[in-house]
Amino acid sequence: MQRIFGDRKKINLGSSEFRKFIESGYLYVDKTRFIEHVLDDASDVLLFTRPRRTGKSLNLDMLRTFLDCKLDTRKLFEGLYIKGSGVFANLNKHPVAHLSLKELDRDTYKSRLFDSIETVAYASLSEQQMGRPLRRYFDDRDYSNATALRRLIEDIHAAYGRKPYVLVDEYDKILTDNVGRPEYEEIREWLTKVFESAFKDNHALGKAVVTGVTRVSQESLFSGLNNIEVYDVFRQSVFDGDFSLTEEEAVELLDEGQLAVARKWYNNYRVGDEKLYTMYSVMSYLKSGRLENYWGQSGTMNLLVDFLDRQRMQNLVELFSSENKLTTPVERRLSYQLLSSGATDAMYYSLAVQAGYLSHDALPQEGGATQLYQVYLHNEELRSVWGGHILTHTLRDYGNEIQTVFSAIAQTEEFSRRFEDYISFRLSYFDLKADLEWVYHVLTLGFMLGAGFKCSSNKESGYGRYDLLVEGEGFAAILEFKAAKTKRGLAKEAKDALAQIDERQYFAALTRGTDNALAQSPTALPIYKVGIACYKTACHVETVLHPS
C-alpha cells in the first residue's frame, strides 16, 4: 500500500492546510486512516494528546476537509487510503465547527474565543438561522458567556438537520502557558464551563475531536464529561500510528542511508505500541540534507526547566547513555494545580514523556500497584535538546569560573591544568556515576553556555562531527571528549582526542570561515584544539594551538 505522495523535493514544514498539500503536490504522508478511526469510534468526545509537531493540526484540518458538507473535496482524496474505506460515504456529509485555541492568551482569551466562535457561526449560518441567544451573544459581545459554543452547535444542528462535528485544536496550550500564574484558575474554570456546556448531554452534537499535548486531570476541563474517550501516548489503540511517522512510512520515504541515520537521530518515541519517528525532524532533514536538532529548536518547554532540580538533572545526565533507563512511577493524568505547587517525580516524568522529551516503556503491573515505567532519552536529537536547551539553564550558576579558566588558554599547559581541576571538581560536585562521553560533553556545554560563551555542539566539519566548538574573546576552541576505561588511561585518551581533531579536520569550518555558530569572522582568531578524557570524576586535558 502506497503511503507517500507528492513531490519529495517539495517539503512544506509550516502549513497545516490539507488542501494545500494535495493541490500543490507537496510531499505528504497519507494519514487518512485517522478519518476512518475517528468515524468508527463510538464515543461522542475524543481527546488526543501528542507532542507538538506531530501532525495534530494537519490531521484535524484533513478531517474537516473530508466531513464538511459545504465543500466538494472528492478529488483531494483520490488515491489515498480513505477512498477505499467503508466510511468514505461520509465525504462532505456533515457540518463542521473547527476551532483552534492556539492563539488564546491570559489577557484576551475570552475575546479571542468569541472571535473564533463568531467566525464559524457566520461561515455556517445566516442571520435568520441563528437562534436568539446566539445573536444576542454576538450583538452584545458578551465575552463572559460560557454557553455560546453550545448555542452554536444547537443552531447548526437546527439549520442543517444534521449533528455537527466540533474540532478543537490545542485545548491545553493556554493552561500550559499559565501554570503557576494567578490567572490560571480563572482561565481553567471558564474553559471548563465552555466545554462542559458544549459537550455534556448535548443531543445536538455529532462528535467532538479535541487535541492537545498533555492529558490534564483532577482539575480537568473535561472532568464533568461522561462521554469522553482519551487517547494519550501511554494507551495502545488503533490511533497509535495516526500521528508522527511510523516505521513502514519511514521505509517508503527514506533511502537506506537516510533511514539508518534517521533511526539513530529521530526515532524511538513510543505512542501505545508504536515506536515513531519525529515527523517534523525527518522532513527537515530531507529538506536540508543535514542532521540537526530541528524539533527541539522549534519550541520550548519552560515547565521542564522550572521543575528540574539537582537530582532530576543527575538522573537525566545518566540517561545520556543509550543503555540507561530510569524506573519511575508516572502520573498519566497531570494536575497543573498540583504541579505548580511542587512537582513530584511521577508528575515531572509524565510531563516530559507527554511533551515528547522522553520516551517510555511500561513495566508489568502487579495487582493494584502504581504503574511503573522506564523512561529514557530515545535518540540523538533528544540528547541534543536536553544538553543544549534545558540542562544548560540549570548550570548557569556553575559556569562563571570557567571564564577565568579560559582566559589562560594561550598558556596551553596552564590552561590544561586549570581545566582539569575545574571539570574534575564539577563532576565530583554533581556526583555523577556515568562514564560516557555524552555526559561530560553535555555538562561542559552547559557550563560554557552558562558563562556566556558562543557554542556549537555536534556539528559537521571536515570529515566528521566535532563535539564542541567554543568562541570566547580572542580565541576559538574545538573540544573533543573521550571516556577512559580506567584512570590510568586518561592521558592516552586525551591524546587520542587531539589526534581525532586533526585526522578528521574538525577545524575545517573555522579555517574556511563557514561555521555560522560564530558571530565574528573566525579566521582572525587563534584556534585551540582541546582533547578531554574523563573517568568517573577524574579528568585529563591536552591542549595545543592549531598552526595558522
Side-chain angles (χ1 to χ4, degrees):
M1 182 182 69
Q2 184 179 355
R3 301 173 176 88
I4 309 300
F5 295 83
D7 188 341
R8 297 181 184 226
K9 295 182 180 179
K10 296 175 68 174
I11 299 175
N12 189 314
L13 299 172
S15 178
S16 298
E17 186 179 348
F18 174 76
R19 178 187 291 275
K20 181 182 291 186
F21 274 83
I22 304 303
E23 290 183 340
S24 300
Y26 295 148
L27 179 60
Y28 176 68
V29 181
D30 184 1
K31 293 293 185 180
T32 57
R33 193 186 293 262
F34 174 69
I35 300 171
E36 179 183 75
H37 292 156
V38 168
L39 296 183
D40 283 345
D41 196 297
S43 303
D44 294 331
V45 183
L46 307 179
L47 171 62
F48 298 96
T49 61
R50 298 291 190 275
R52 57 184 174 78
R53 297 287 193 171
T54 52
K56 298 188 297 296
S57 298
L58 180 58
N59 273 9
L60 275 196
D61 188 71
M62 175 186 69
L63 182 60
R64 176 196 65 81
T65 304
F66 178 85
L67 293 170
D68 198 336
C69 61
K70 302 189 301 299
L71 304 176
D72 179 5
T73 58
R74 179 175 295 268
K75 289 184 178 180
L76 298 180
F77 294 94
E78 290 292 336
L80 300 180
Y81 170 85
I82 198 66
K83 181 67 185 297
S85 170
V87 305
F88 195 70
N90 288 276
L91 178 73
N92 304 141
K93 291 293 193 294
H94 302 274
V96 179
H98 186 191
L99 304 170
S100 174
L101 306 193
K102 180 180 180 180
E103 301 301 326
L104 268 58
D105 61 61
R106 65 179 179 274
D107 297 321
T108 61
Y109 63 94
K110 291 182 181 179
S111 63
R112 284 181 181 267
L113 186 58
F114 174 99
D115 291 341
S116 296
I117 293 173
E118 185 178 40
T119 298
V120 172
Y122 281 105
S124 305
L125 304 167
S126 66
E127 289 276 2
Q128 292 72 28
Q129 290 173 321
M130 293 183 195
R132 183 177 298 175
L134 192 60
R135 287 201 307 272
R136 184 183 303 119
Y137 170 70
F138 294 140
D139 292 341
D140 296 344
R141 305 198 68 78
D142 183 7
Y143 300 146
S144 64
N145 187 340
T147 67
L149 183 56
R150 183 185 184 95
R151 303 303 182 195
L152 174 63
I153 295 168
E154 291 171 343
D155 287 355
I156 291 176
H157 179 218
Y160 288 82
R162 283 165 284 180
K163 296 181 179 182
Y165 280 68
V166 179
L167 314 180
V168 181
D169 200 16
E170 301 204 45
Y171 89 99
D172 60 335
K173 184 176 184 301
I174 187 171
L175 297 178
T176 305
D177 289 347
N178 289 281
V179 171
R181 293 182 177 273
E183 302 90 346
Y184 175 87
E185 183 58 22
E186 178 185 337
I187 295 170
R188 185 203 62 78
E189 287 183 356
W190 186 75
L191 286 178
T192 299
K193 292 176 183 177
V194 170
F195 288 127
E196 286 193 356
S197 169
F199 300 151
K200 185 175 182 178
D201 301 326
N202 187 352
H203 301 295
L205 175 68
K207 191 187 291 286
V209 181
V210 184
T211 70
V213 171
T214 53
R215 182 178 181 181
V216 183
S217 186
Q218 295 189 34
E219 75 273 12
S220 172
L221 277 67
F222 308 112
S223 58
L225 301 183
N226 54 13
N227 59 345
I228 186 170
E229 196 71 35
V230 180
Y231 295 99
D232 60 19
V233 299
F234 301 103
R235 177 181 177 180
Q236 181 181 349
S237 75
V238 296
F239 296 98
D240 290 353
D242 286 345
F243 304 86
S244 298
L245 193 69
T246 66
E247 180 65 26
E248 293 78 10
E249 292 161 350
V251 168
E252 184 178 340
L253 176 63
L254 305 169
D255 65 33
E256 187 174 341
Q258 293 169 333
L259 187 62
V261 295
R263 283 195 181 116
K264 181 178 179 181
W265 269 79
Y266 306 123
N267 190 21
N268 215 29
Y269 181 73
R270 178 183 292 282
V271 173
D273 202 37
E274 286 272 3
K275 290 291 187 74
L276 300 169
Y277 294 76
T278 307
M279 176 82 80
Y280 178 77
S281 297
V282 172
M283 292 300 183
S284 298
Y285 163 54
L286 284 178
K287 187 170 185 175
S288 70
R290 298 189 304 273
L291 289 169
E292 302 282 355
N293 166 20
Y294 296 105
W295 182 84
Q297 293 178 356
S298 68
T300 61
M301 197 60 187
N302 293 331
L303 285 180
L304 288 175
V305 177
D306 292 343
F307 298 121
L308 183 59
D309 60 24
R310 178 175 164 181
Q311 182 58 57
R312 289 171 190 151
M313 189 199 71
Q314 291 181 349
N315 291 341
L316 286 161
V317 171
E318 296 287 340
L319 295 182
F320 274 80
S321 163
S322 60
E323 304 298 320
N324 289 353
K325 296 183 178 181
L326 173 68
T327 299
T328 179
V330 168
E331 293 281 356
R332 290 179 54 177
R333 303 177 182 184
L334 283 173
S335 166
Y336 278 157
Q337 286 178 328
L338 295 178
L339 190 68
S340 62
S341 62
T344 65
D345 284 347
M347 295 177 191
Y348 184 82
Y349 294 114
S350 175
L351 178 63
V353 167
Q354 293 191 55
Y357 288 87
L358 293 174
S359 192
H360 71 287
D361 294 331
L363 294 175
Q365 188 170 4
E366 298 180 4
T370 301
Q371 178 71 62
L372 292 178
Y373 290 84
Q374 288 186 323
V375 298
Y376 49 93
L377 283 171
H378 44 289
N379 55 44
E380 295 299 315
E381 181 175 46
L382 265 294
R383 291 185 181 89
S384 179
V385 169
W386 282 101
H389 295 276
I390 298 180
L391 285 181
T392 54
H393 289 278
T394 71
L395 299 173
R396 292 192 182 279
D397 293 340
Y398 304 114
N400 297 329
E401 303 153 47
I402 209 167
Q403 291 179 336
T404 303
V405 173
F406 270 84
S407 68
I409 195 168
Q411 292 79 46
T412 54
E413 291 187 11
E414 175 65 14
F415 166 77
S416 294
R417 185 190 63 76
R418 291 189 189 183
F419 201 25
E420 277 181 22
D421 291 344
Y422 180 85
I423 295 180
S424 298
F425 174 74
R426 289 306 177 196
L427 292 176
S428 177
Y429 178 80
F430 285 106
D431 191 28
L432 296 172
K433 300 177 179 62
D435 55 356
L436 291 144
E437 293 174 25
W438 253 110
V439 175
Y440 310 122
H441 178 167
V442 72
L443 283 176
T444 305
L445 172 61
F447 298 143
M448 302 298 288
L449 289 174
F453 289 109
K454 297 187 180 83
C455 297
S456 176
S457 177
N458 202 35
K459 295 289 183 69
E460 289 184 2
S461 182
Y463 300 105
R465 290 175 173 273
Y466 55 72
D467 283 341
L468 192 58
L469 174 63
V470 179
E471 182 196 10
E473 187 170 346
F475 76 91
I478 297 171
L479 280 60
E480 185 67 24
F481 294 85
K482 295 289 184 183
K485 294 181 179 179
T486 65
K487 190 172 182 179
R488 187 176 299 175
L490 285 170
K492 179 183 180 302
E493 291 292 344
K495 288 181 171 62
D496 287 347
L498 279 182
Q500 183 173 318
I501 294 173
D502 283 328
E503 289 167 3
R504 300 188 184 180
Q505 297 183 30
Y506 291 152
F507 45 78
L510 284 170
T511 54
R512 290 196 305 269
T514 58
D515 195 300
N516 60 12
L518 303 181
Q520 307 296 326
S521 172
T523 55
L525 298 175
I527 302 168
Y528 293 90
K529 296 173 290 192
V530 185
I532 305 167
C534 296
Y535 174 73
K536 299 189 183 300
T537 59
C539 175
H540 183 77
V541 178
E542 294 277 348
T543 308
V544 297
L545 175 65
H546 181 68
S548 57

